[in-house]
Amino acid sequence: SCVLKRCRLSLLPVHFFGSVWTCATSRKMASDKQNEGKIVPMDENKENAAEDGIGLEILQIIKDSQQQHGLRHGDYQRYRGYCSRRLRRLRKTLGFKCGNRHKFTGKKVTVEMLSDNRYLLLVLMEAERAWSYAMQLKQEANTEPRKRFHLLSRLRKAAKHGERLEKLCESPRVDAKTKLEAQAYTSYLSGMVRFELQEWKAATEAFNKCKTIYEKLASAFTEELAVLYHQRVEEISPNIRYCAYNIGDQNAMNELMQMRLSAGGGGGMMAEKLEALITQTRAKQAATMSEVEWRGRTVPVKIDKARIFLLGLGDNEAAIAQAANEETKERLYETLLAECRDTIQAVREELKTEAKQRERSDEASGKVSNLQFLHSYLTYIKLWTVVKRNESMAHMLQAKLKEPQTDENKRGPRPQDLIRLYDIILQSLAELSTLQGLEEDHTFQKEVALKMLVYKAYRCFFIAQSYVLVKKWSEALVLYERVLKYAKEVQSKAKSLNNSLKDLPDVQELITEVNAEKYSLQAAAILVPALPLICLPPSPSSIQPLCERLDTFHLDPTLVGKQPNLVQFPPDFQPIPCKPLFFDLALNHVAFPPLDDKVEQKGKGGLTGYIKGIFGFGS
């Protein structure tokens, strides 16, 4: 049987094994061609559009390819694979193969070959493949620093391919627009190489050249292309600002912050690049920071992450104050909280190391250490940021709550949503009062208690509003009185702590609003019981269900409404006769006949039976 199987396999044609081998990769190639099929006709129209020479819309082609093959999600490895497969298809179509499967023979595209614009596309894809590999290595270099050397090698290779493309485009066969785009593309790649090498002046010159060319192209062509060129300029601008800062321009950091604000809540690659550049800029500034002062105590800051965070704290707070809309403000709050959590985690790790050292040295001191006080300061920043964020969200919901609701099907904000936000605020303030190192700071404790009273008043106000919606007037009135009590207590205690009320909502406005709500609530409570007296008394026939007044005609409009009175439900109880119970009392007085003569008497077996019983023979 083995011989027969081998003979059958030997009779199979060679292309059968080739088809089996290509089955695993055919799906990937088909999907690439399907995706590329949407781009290639467009590219051919772009490439053959110029009548006076060969044309290639470089920026449009690479942007479309990047968006459809991984870079929308930052997947550089997928885009690199796409570039490799497209290169192979271009070489096969043009007959531009570099050797065979056994030996590689390098070939370069020359000016004499430029009879077809796909030769330019071939060089462009080689540059894109090297660039995408470099960006992939840049992501991996965060955990593996040795890959940075390979990253620089790939970037230089991409810049070399860009220079080749620029030289090919200098031919008179190529149109002017393609020449300009090739120069801008080469300048961008050379700028990226200089940027990674930290040659800031050369990188600035290359990026500025690229930016100038794209701005000129945007002003010379249609709106669709101008949008693409302006997007490229916006991508380059953060790099130019960062290079200017490293050269010595101190205003560049402020410009980066303004660019982050103008980016809005969109996020994406642009926002990530801005955050990375801002972090790098702060890292350079943090080298000069050594200590911080809070609550009358100066604390040395030795952890680099804490230095960077504290240095950018003021910029972040200023950016939040200047935010144009609530979406941008919410995104900045989340970014600040994330940075604060990471910094607290780094300080917590140092605290563990310090605790181990104290255990070894058997030091017992009642004073809070500098590192622990720094941890308390960072925790205070985190909790107070949570308070401000929730307060901002509460103001936004409160404004929406006062707006008239147009769509009844859409669920609008309710007082319960605001109650939840103020619960979180009060929980954060309760944690503030338990921070280590501040137990004996009576001023701080009074400030926290005063802030808790303010937010308790607002929370109580919205609880009363929720009771008003369900028409529980007495409960709402009691809660409004509690709000006034809290507000008056805040006003009496705030005389000695005027500085503490600067960042808090105004209590006087709350008192005015509560008084107005109380008057309207009292009016509603008086009017609601009087409503049945104003209405006409219903007729006796309309009170009875329909099944009980079938012989009486009465025009009742409620019968065609949502709750018609047809029958009485649930029905009333009716008396019915009980089921008789039988008790067998005669059984106790019945005398049964004796059955002794029917029972079998067991006879005696004698000695033999006794012996058999002992040894078990008779059983």
Side-chain angles (χ1 to χ4, degrees):
S1 62
C2 295
V3 174
L4 286 174
K5 287 180 181 178
R6 289 177 184 174
C7 292
R8 288 172 187 169
L9 288 172
S10 64
L11 292 174
L12 289 173
V14 176
H15 64 80
F16 172 79
F17 296 100
S19 63
V20 174
W21 179 75
T22 56
C23 181
T25 57
S26 61
R27 293 182 182 177
K28 185 66 177 175
M29 298 287 291
S31 64
D32 285 342
K33 289 182 180 178
Q34 186 178 2
N35 293 334
E36 191 179 342
K38 301 176 183 177
I39 305 173
V40 170
M42 182 176 64
D43 293 345
E44 289 176 356
N45 292 335
K46 294 172 188 171
E47 295 158 6
N48 300 325
E51 295 179 357
D52 56 340
I54 297 172
L56 189 72
E57 293 193 3
I58 296 173
L59 186 60
Q60 182 74 45
I61 290 171
I62 63 175
K63 280 297 177 185
D64 290 342
S65 301
Q66 288 173 1
Q67 288 298 312
Q68 296 192 20
H69 296 281
L71 259 65
R72 185 178 296 177
H73 311 290
D75 191 352
Y76 292 99
Q77 186 175 4
R78 179 184 165 195
Y79 180 60
R80 174 190 162 207
Y82 162 75
C83 293
S84 299
R85 291 189 295 273
R86 191 168 186 186
L87 271 173
R88 186 164 59 249
R89 289 194 293 272
L90 283 170
R91 286 185 179 131
K92 187 175 180 180
T93 306
L94 295 171
F96 192 76
K97 296 185 178 180
C98 298
N100 51 31
R101 67 177 63 184
H102 302 293
K103 185 179 179 182
F104 174 79
T105 306
K107 292 172 67 177
K108 293 184 178 181
V109 179
T110 59
V111 179
E112 290 77 15
M113 294 181 183
L114 295 181
S115 58
D116 194 339
N117 42 29
R118 284 177 292 181
Y119 285 103
L120 295 176
L121 186 60
L122 187 70
V123 183
L124 177 63
M125 284 295 108
E126 286 179 344
E128 281 293 291
R129 180 176 64 175
W131 172 82
S132 59
Y133 194 11
M135 294 299 103
Q136 177 191 341
L137 291 168
K138 188 173 183 178
Q139 289 180 340
E140 297 171 358
N142 294 328
T143 55
E144 302 177 50
R146 291 290 302 172
K147 289 193 175 182
R148 180 168 173 77
F149 298 102
H150 197 184
L151 151 69
L152 293 172
S153 173
R154 288 293 91 194
L155 267 182
R156 290 192 186 99
K157 190 74 172 178
K160 187 177 179 182
H161 287 307
E163 290 171 1
R164 280 179 52 207
L165 179 64
E166 185 181 357
K167 287 181 181 178
L168 289 173
C169 290
E170 290 174 358
S171 169
R173 301 180 186 181
V174 183
D175 62 356
K177 179 185 174 184
T178 307
K179 290 178 182 178
L180 287 173
E181 286 206 27
Q183 290 176 10
Y185 183 68
T186 306
S187 300
Y188 173 75
L189 291 178
S190 61
M192 289 298 295
V193 175
R194 302 301 177 188
F195 188 86
E196 291 297 328
L197 292 172
Q198 298 184 1
E199 298 176 2
W200 310 117
K201 192 172 182 180
T204 305
E205 292 174 0
F207 284 136
N208 281 327
K209 180 181 177 182
C210 177
K211 180 181 176 182
T212 304
I213 294 172
Y214 281 132
E215 285 175 347
K216 294 294 183 184
L217 287 171
S219 61
F221 290 97
T222 60
E223 268 189 42
E224 295 180 0
L225 289 174
V227 169
L228 192 64
Y229 293 135
H230 285 309
Q231 286 178 355
R232 189 66 158 182
V233 170
E234 288 177 2
E235 290 177 10
I236 298 169
S237 297
N239 292 343
I240 297 175
R241 299 288 187 279
Y242 184 69
C243 293
Y245 170 76
N246 284 283
I247 290 172
D249 187 1
Q250 297 299 326
N251 296 325
M253 182 63 185
N254 297 330
E255 292 176 2
L256 284 174
M257 296 295 294
Q258 291 298 326
M259 290 176 70
R260 183 173 73 165
L261 279 177
S262 61
M269 292 180 62
M270 182 71 177
E272 290 177 6
K273 183 184 287 187
L274 282 169
E275 292 293 341
L277 291 177
I278 289 170
T279 304
Q280 291 177 16
T281 308
R282 287 175 182 162
K284 292 196 70 176
Q285 293 177 345
T288 60
M289 182 180 181
S290 59
E291 58 186 22
V292 65
E293 185 178 353
W294 182 59
R295 307 300 301 182
R297 179 172 174 178
T298 303
V299 181
V301 183
K302 299 179 181 178
I303 303 171
D304 293 336
K305 203 161 194 176
R307 288 179 181 176
I308 295 171
F309 172 73
L310 293 173
L311 192 64
L313 181 61
D315 294 333
N316 285 324
E317 290 176 348
I320 290 170
Q322 296 172 8
N325 50 32
E326 293 296 330
E327 188 179 358
T328 305
K329 187 179 289 188
E330 180 67 20
R331 182 178 61 84
L332 292 174
Y333 269 127
E334 290 298 330
T335 304
L336 178 59
L337 285 173
E339 292 177 1
C340 190
R341 290 189 197 100
D342 294 341
T343 308
I344 289 173
Q345 183 61 32
V347 175
R348 195 175 288 132
E349 295 295 329
E350 292 292 328
L351 276 173
K352 290 179 182 178
T353 308
E354 186 184 43
K356 289 180 181 178
Q357 292 177 354
R358 283 189 176 183
E359 288 177 1
R360 291 172 185 171
S361 60
D362 295 333
E363 289 183 5
S365 173
K367 186 180 178 182
V368 177
S369 65
N370 289 331
L371 198 58
Q372 183 60 56
F373 197 76
L374 177 63
H375 182 269
S376 298
Y377 177 46
L378 293 171
T379 308
Y380 168 81
I381 293 171
K382 185 192 79 170
L383 293 173
W384 187 242
T385 305
V386 171
V387 169
K388 299 304 291 181
R389 183 194 63 179
N390 287 323
E391 187 183 352
S392 174
M393 294 170 65
H395 283 310
M396 181 179 65
L397 285 176
Q398 194 173 355
K400 290 182 179 179
L401 196 62
K402 293 179 180 179
E403 294 176 358
Q405 191 172 354
T406 55
D407 190 2
E408 295 181 356
N409 298 325
K410 187 178 179 182
R411 179 188 177 276
R414 298 180 299 175
Q416 288 84 347
D417 302 331
L418 288 157
I419 294 168
R420 176 60 184 157
L421 290 175
Y422 282 109
D423 280 335
I424 298 172
I425 289 174
L426 289 171
Q427 184 179 355
S428 300
L429 289 173
E431 292 180 20
L432 277 178
S433 59
T434 60
L435 290 177
Q436 291 189 13
L438 300 173
E439 297 90 347
E440 303 299 327
D441 192 343
H442 300 294
T443 306
F444 178 79
Q445 297 295 336
K446 288 180 181 178
E447 290 176 359
V448 172
L450 185 64
K451 291 171 183 176
M452 289 184 72
L453 277 177
V454 173
Y455 291 113
K456 276 183 181 179
Y458 274 89
R459 177 178 172 273
C460 193
F461 174 76
F462 289 109
I463 294 174
Q465 292 277 56
S466 64
Y467 276 112
V468 169
L469 291 178
V470 294
K471 298 181 179 180
K472 292 185 177 180
W473 316 116
S474 57
E475 291 87 345
L477 196 59
V478 171
L479 287 169
Y480 280 140
E481 293 293 340
R482 179 69 62 86
V483 174
L484 292 176
K485 176 186 173 184
Y486 283 143
K488 290 176 182 177
E489 191 175 351
V490 169
Q491 287 181 337
S492 63
K493 291 183 178 180
K495 295 177 181 177
S496 58
L497 298 169
N498 290 328
N499 295 329
S500 303
L501 291 176
K502 288 182 179 179
D503 299 330
L504 297 177
D506 191 5
V507 183
Q508 188 60 42
E509 292 181 4
L510 182 63
I511 293 173
T512 307
E513 192 171 358
V514 167
N515 288 327
E517 291 289 339
K518 275 179 63 179
Y519 298 142
S520 61
L521 181 64
Q522 289 171 355
I526 294 170
L527 287 174
V528 168
L531 289 177
L533 300 175
I534 299 171
C535 299
L536 294 174
S539 62
S541 59
S542 63
I543 297 174
Q544 293 179 350
L546 181 63
C547 65
E548 296 179 4
R549 52 183 176 88
L550 293 176
D551 298 332
T552 305
F553 175 76
H554 176 69
L555 189 61
D556 190 0
T558 60
L559 293 177
V560 293
K562 292 184 178 179
Q563 295 179 349
N565 190 11
L566 301 177
V567 294
Q568 183 177 356
F569 186 83
D572 293 334
F573 289 100
Q574 295 181 0
I576 59 171
C578 294
K579 183 179 178 180
L581 299 177
F582 296 96
F583 298 97
D584 193 0
L585 302 177
L587 182 63
N588 297 331
H589 303 280
V590 174
F592 293 98
L595 299 175
D596 295 338
D597 56 340
K598 302 293 183 181
V599 178
E600 184 180 357
Q601 294 292 332
K602 195 171 182 180
K604 297 181 180 179
L607 182 62
T608 306
Y610 178 73
I611 294 172
K612 288 181 179 179
I614 292 174
F615 292 100
F617 297 135
S619 60

